[in-house]
Amino acid sequence: RPDDGLRPKRLDDYIGQDELKQVLGIAVQAALGRGDALDHVLLYGPPGLGKTTMALVLAEELGVTCRITSAPALERPRDIVGLLVNVQPRDLLFIDEIHRLNRVSEELLYPAMEDRRLDLTVGKGSTARTRSLELPPFTLVGATTKAGSLSSPLRDRFGLIQRLEFYGQEDLEAIVSRTADLLGVSLSAGACRRIAGCCRGTPRIANRLLRRVRDVACVQGRQNQIDEGLVSQALSLHRVDHRGLDAGDRRLLAQLDQHHDGGPVGLETLAAALGEDPTTLESVVEPFLLQQGLLVRTPRGRMLTEAARAHLREQEVA
Ligand code: ADE
């Protein structure tokens, strides 16, 4: 991952998500006090808000190893068995996109999470037997963009269930400023404000935009004098508008406006018209548009809001 050197290492360095930090900070302190593993944690929310980072921070705070994997890498039952038999006492296992675990893998996790027991099937057919293997105490940290797609038996086995929120302007400015320091670039206050204002409340996007701004600064020989004007150049180069919408977001809004009379239109129809995967549309593209009040979900489908129409008109003029 390109952001690895930029990730905060400790809770104190992690900017924003105050409630999440408070809840997890107390849980960590209590677990350390008892010498026990931290309870299983489910982190959910839109991509790029710091779920993986938080798992790494938790491991650091607990002084344990974090093993990172994602559900698509755990396709065969033996993948999850391999992961669990290698776990050391109080280790943290991070499973990204946990809503995509298949049934068999998920069912191996239930007793592992609940009773620290791994139920293995040995042999085949009529001679098959189950063997139980005792596991050390460990912490599963699951992350998902779609908490609603998690089966309830799985969801119920997490002791802590926390949502990550989009970041506010002030936190984003602090994050951009921190990243700029780490990248060794010097930003004016206006430049920092501008990047924070168009990153869709998402640190991953803020850091990505900052890199693109740095590229433009670099070719102009202005690495150490990045101002608002330079940020604007980089943003228009990448077709990011002042609200942070990219070409894909505007395409969705324009589709609704021009071909469906503002809606309502079903997710599947919209996705097909845009040549997008419905799940991606729903969990990656839509959350920010919904949060911004540019889109609403109704029982009969997606609808454009007046704010979105105004935004589209503004973009045409610009
Ligand atoms: N970089 C990306 N997200 C961050 C956060 N929440 N705190 C500090 N640095 C970050």
Side-chain angles (χ1 to χ4, degrees), residues 30-199:
L32 285 174
R34 287 192 297 262
D36 210 349
L38 179 70
D39 226 344
H40 307 302
V41 181
L42 180 67
L43 301 175
Y44 70 98
L49 301 187
K51 297 186 283 290
T52 306
T53 302
M54 183 51 84
L56 291 163
V57 163
L58 289 175
E60 189 74 28
E61 294 287 340
L62 292 161
V64 300
T65 306
C66 181
R67 294 161 186 275
I68 302 184
T69 188
S70 78
L74 302 174
E75 217 162 277
R76 303 161 305 177
R78 77 164 105 125
D79 299 323
I80 208 146
V81 169
L83 199 65
L84 290 170
V85 298
N86 285 312
V87 77
Q88 300 297 307
R90 290 178 292 110
D91 266 3
L92 202 144
L93 280 185
F94 178 72
I95 304 183
D96 205 0
E97 301 190 67
I98 196 160
H99 62 278
R100 292 174 61 181
L101 270 186
N102 61 46
R103 185 72 182 268
V104 179
S105 300
E106 193 174 314
E107 283 174 4
L108 280 164
L109 268 186
Y110 296 162
M113 291 174 78
E114 198 151 78
D115 306 318
R116 297 175 189 158
R117 203 183 75 229
L118 184 57
D119 293 332
L120 298 169
T121 313
V122 189
K124 282 204 164 82
S126 60
T127 63
R129 279 190 302 273
T130 60
R131 287 268 170 77
S132 267
L133 201 72
E134 200 180 319
L135 297 170
F138 71 100
T139 303
L140 178 68
V141 179
T144 179
T145 51
K146 304 186 71 195
S149 315
L150 223 61
S151 73
S152 47
L154 182 56
R155 197 172 44 233
D156 293 347
R157 283 171 172 79
F158 289 97
L160 294 150
I161 301 182
Q162 294 289 317
R163 189 165 99 140
L164 280 86
E165 309 282 348
F166 286 116
Y167 291 68
Q169 180 72 15
E170 200 181 320
D171 288 338
L172 292 166
E173 285 180 27
I175 290 168
V176 170
S177 169
R178 176 184 179 275
T179 306
D181 283 346
L182 292 172
L183 293 177
V185 299
S186 161
L187 287 181
S188 75
C192 186
R193 204 179 310 125
R194 194 71 214 290
I195 296 173
C198 63
C199 68

Side-chain angles (χ1 to χ4, degrees), residues 6 8 13-15 167 175 178-179 203 207:
L6 304 179
D13 310 322
Y14 193 107
I15 296 161
Y167 291 68
I175 290 168
R178 176 184 179 275
T179 306
N207 289 341

Side-chain angles (χ1 to χ4, degrees), residues 213-271:
V213 170
R214 180 177 66 162
D215 289 348
V216 173
C218 211
V219 299
Q220 295 186 10
R222 292 170 55 188
Q223 279 261 52
N224 292 313
Q225 33 174 330
I226 298 180
D227 57 18
E228 222 177 316
L230 210 142
V231 174
S232 295
Q233 283 181 47
L235 292 176
S236 61
L237 175 68
H238 291 283
R239 308 220 290 137
V240 173
D241 68 33
H242 69 94
R243 278 187 99 132
L245 303 198
D246 62 22
D249 300 319
R250 287 192 299 272
R251 211 158 70 83
L252 183 149
L253 298 178
Q255 175 74 26
L256 262 170
D257 188 34
Q258 289 159 22
H259 300 284
H260 304 278
D261 205 19
V265 59
L267 174 68
E268 303 283 334
T269 309
L270 195 58

